[in-house]
Amino acid sequence: MANVYFLIIAILQSIPQISPLTPLTGILPLVFVIVISMIREGIEDYRRYVDDQKANSQPVRVLSNEKPENIEQKKKEALDQFPFFVTNFPPCFDIVKSEELKVGQMVLIYEDEIFPADLILLGTSDKDNRAFIETAMLDGEKSLKKRKTKGNINDL
C-alpha cells in the first residue's frame, strides 16, 4: 500500500500545472522504496533457499530392495557422508538424503527425529499403535498431536 502512495505522489508531481516540484522528487522516493523492498525479499528468498538445502540434505532411512551385501557397502558410504547419523537400524534399510526420497518409499523414523516429508504412519513401537507428532515447523504449534494407526505393520 505504501508503494501506491508513492506512485500517486510521483504521478501528481509529474504534472507541472499542479506541482511546483520536479518529477524527480516524486519518483526517487518510489524507486527507493521499491529497491529496499526488492533487497529485503531477495534476502528472505536466499535464507529460505539455504534452509531448504539444509533440510534436503538430511539423512533418512528407507526400506531397500537391494541384496544385503550391496546394502552394507552403501551404508559404509552413507556413514562416511553422515557420520553423526544413528547407525542402529535393521539391515534392510538404506541411508539416503531426504531429497532422494521417492513417493511410496517406506521410511524408518526414530523418536525425536524430524520428518523429511509427508508420511503415512504405518506402525509404531507403542503397544496401542500411537505416535505423538509435533508440527511446530509447519504451523508453529508446539503441542503434540496424537496419531494412531489402524494396525501395526507386522500384522499385514
Side-chain angles (χ1 to χ4, degrees), residues 29-81:
L30 176 63
V31 170
F32 177 76
V33 169
I34 290 175
V35 167
I36 294 298
S37 296
M38 288 173 53
I39 291 171
R40 189 189 72 220
E41 291 293 324
I43 291 170
E44 288 176 7
D45 285 347
Y46 178 74
R47 286 182 183 155
R48 251 182 265 128
Y49 168 78
V50 169
D51 290 343
D52 287 347
Q53 293 297 344
K54 184 178 175 184
N56 289 338
S57 65
Q58 294 298 313
V60 178
R61 293 173 217 84
V62 294
L63 186 64
S64 178
N65 59 358
E66 292 194 27
K67 296 179 180 173
E69 58 271 9
N70 294 346
I71 290 176
E72 289 305 316
Q73 177 60 31
K74 286 182 96 175
K75 273 188 193 175
K76 288 178 186 172
E77 293 170 5
L79 289 174
D80 289 341
Q81 190 175 4

Side-chain angles (χ1 to χ4, degrees), residues 2 9 20 27 36 43 59 73-75 97 99 117 130 133 151:
I9 296 298
I27 293 173
I36 294 298
I43 291 170
Q73 177 60 31
K74 286 182 96 175
K75 273 188 193 175
K97 290 182 179 180
E99 67 185 3
R130 292 178 302 172
I133 301 168

